[in-house]
Amino acid sequence: MVNNLESTIWDARDIINNSNKLSNPQYYLPIVSEIQHMIFLYNARFHEGIKRKRVPFAEIERYMNLDSIIIDGCSTTGNIEITRILKFREKDVSNVIDIVCIDQQRTIEQRDIVTKYIEMRGYKYEFLPNNVYGFGLSLNGEELIIPNLYGIYSYIKADLLNLKLYIMIDTEGNLLIKKSGLEHTLYFYNFGLFSLFYKFFRYKDRDIKDLEEYENRYRDKIKEIISKGFNERDLNNLRKVFNEIDIDKITRNLDRYIEKHPDSVYENLYNIIERVY
């Protein structure tokens, strides 16, 4: 087993060392698949080399106006994207900002705009190693961190006076290693709506609290996000993320939410779910 691991790591060393500089990640799919297989066999632990914390969205906006630096074809995701649309300044969000771009050219352009903005404001920043997120493996007594992302991407740490902000810029088509298999990074034109869908998929206590806060304070704006819907490209990408079993799970969780929140604005999500499968 160790010999197999050593052989795989040796054969893939250039890919591992340059995982954030691969312009054609699909070309490397066979070797990345082999890396994923080794990670599964050795039950490698997931490594995250940053310090996450939650801060009011206003604290981020105080130092960095996301609306002014996010370019067309790139988007923030998750709570940051929803909060940015709603202008929910009091909402606690992560100090890790995930940005996904539709192609590599925009990823590079978005990276340059972010760094120039930080420089213009006089803040310090640095590019973080490609294995900030990865899997820890022990090989001949040495601890290795194998990056979990392959393609064109950047990890930036910005020291914004009293706030450390981590900006992750990813590209559609990049390969993401999970213990359970491989996934591709996908871009959604309506990342706000996708982020709401994902909350109903995960549906933990924090997600439920977020959903309640959003509609209680910004009902009309949430309705606008849902009314905008998904275009056909987004729907196709949604089918890549969620299979029919996943969509059934989302529907059941939506049922549970609506049962406890009659006349909820999220009831309009049923119309979109009908278009998925």
Side-chain angles (χ1 to χ4, degrees):
M1 288 285 283
V2 173
N3 288 338
N4 289 341
L5 173 61
E6 187 173 3
S7 175
T8 298
I9 299 304
W10 177 257
D11 290 342
R13 65 193 183 282
D14 289 338
I15 298 171
I16 290 170
N17 292 337
N18 297 285
S19 67
N20 59 337
K21 301 172 184 176
L22 306 178
S23 59
N24 185 9
Q26 200 64 29
Y27 175 81
Y28 302 98
L29 179 59
I31 191 66
V32 175
S33 297
E34 185 63 24
I35 295 171
Q36 187 278 326
H37 183 60
M38 288 293 109
I39 285 169
F40 171 77
L41 286 180
Y42 284 85
N43 194 27
R45 62 174 180 81
F46 185 71
H47 166 82
E48 183 174 340
I50 61 174
K51 295 181 179 179
R52 287 179 180 266
K53 69 175 184 177
R54 293 177 75 82
V55 298
F57 181 64
E59 191 71 7
I60 293 175
E61 287 282 277
R62 175 184 174 189
Y63 299 110
M64 182 174 288
N65 185 337
L66 295 176
D67 290 345
S68 70
I69 62 174
I70 302 297
I71 65 173
D72 288 342
C74 296
S75 176
T76 52
T77 71
N79 270 343
I80 289 281
E81 173 66 1
I82 299 170
T83 305
R84 186 165 72 96
I85 294 170
L86 301 180
K87 307 298 181 187
F88 191 172
R89 294 175 57 80
E90 301 83 14
K91 178 66 176 171
D92 282 345
V93 296
S94 174
N95 65 329
V96 178
I97 299 178
D98 290 307
I99 301 174
V100 178
C101 297
I102 198 169
D103 56 40
Q104 294 177 1
Q105 179 181 345
R106 287 181 177 88
T107 297
I108 295 168
E109 183 181 351
Q110 183 66 79
R111 178 202 65 197
D112 292 344
I113 286 175
V114 167
T115 54
K116 287 177 182 177
Y117 181 92
I118 295 172
E119 289 172 351
M120 180 187 68
R121 299 293 295 267
Y123 305 135
K124 294 180 180 179
Y125 74 92
E126 62 179 305
F127 288 99
L128 298 177
N130 63 340
N131 64 351
V132 164
Y133 294 104
F135 291 93
L137 289 167
S138 182
L139 183 62
N140 296 327
E142 180 184 357
E143 186 72 11
L144 302 175
I145 305 296
I146 308 299
N148 72 329
L149 190 60
Y150 296 79
I152 299 293
Y153 62 92
S154 295
Y155 297 152
I156 304 169
K157 174 187 174 185
D159 289 314
L160 312 181
L161 300 180
N162 296 322
L163 174 66
K164 281 186 171 56
L165 204 63
Y166 300 92
I167 303 156
M168 315 302 192
I169 308 174
D170 198 357
T171 310
E172 178 167 90
N174 283 355
L175 290 171
L176 179 68
I177 291 180
K178 293 191 172 184
K179 285 188 181 181
S180 57
L182 295 178
E183 293 183 1
H184 289 83
T185 299
L186 296 172
Y187 175 85
F188 289 84
Y189 284 99
N190 192 347
F191 251 121
L193 180 54
F194 174 77
S195 300
L196 290 174
F197 258 83
Y198 199 82
K199 286 190 173 296
F200 279 104
F201 173 70
R202 190 170 51 190
Y203 208 62
K204 296 182 179 179
D205 289 343
R206 178 177 288 179
D207 298 306
I208 297 170
K209 182 180 177 182
D210 287 341
L211 290 165
E212 290 171 339
E213 271 192 294
Y214 291 148
E215 77 164 331
N216 288 340
R217 296 190 56 158
Y218 296 95
R219 182 181 178 87
D220 288 343
K221 286 188 176 181
I222 289 294
K223 187 181 293 185
E224 287 178 14
I225 294 173
I226 298 173
S227 296
K228 184 178 177 182
F230 288 127
N231 59 24
E232 284 302 319
R233 188 182 187 282
D234 278 0
L235 283 173
N236 286 332
N237 277 349
L238 196 70
R239 294 177 188 116
K240 295 174 184 176
V241 177
F242 301 126
N243 58 32
E244 291 189 56
I245 294 174
D246 295 332
I247 292 297
D248 286 342
K249 176 182 176 182
I250 291 170
T251 303
R252 289 195 305 273
N253 289 336
L254 181 58
D255 291 341
R256 291 162 61 190
Y257 186 93
I258 298 299
E259 184 178 353
K260 294 182 179 179
H261 305 79
D263 195 37
S264 169
V265 67
Y266 299 120
E267 193 168 7
N268 295 326
L269 290 174
Y270 285 120
N271 296 329
I272 296 172
I273 289 173
E274 288 179 0
R275 296 182 60 200
V276 180
Y277 286 104

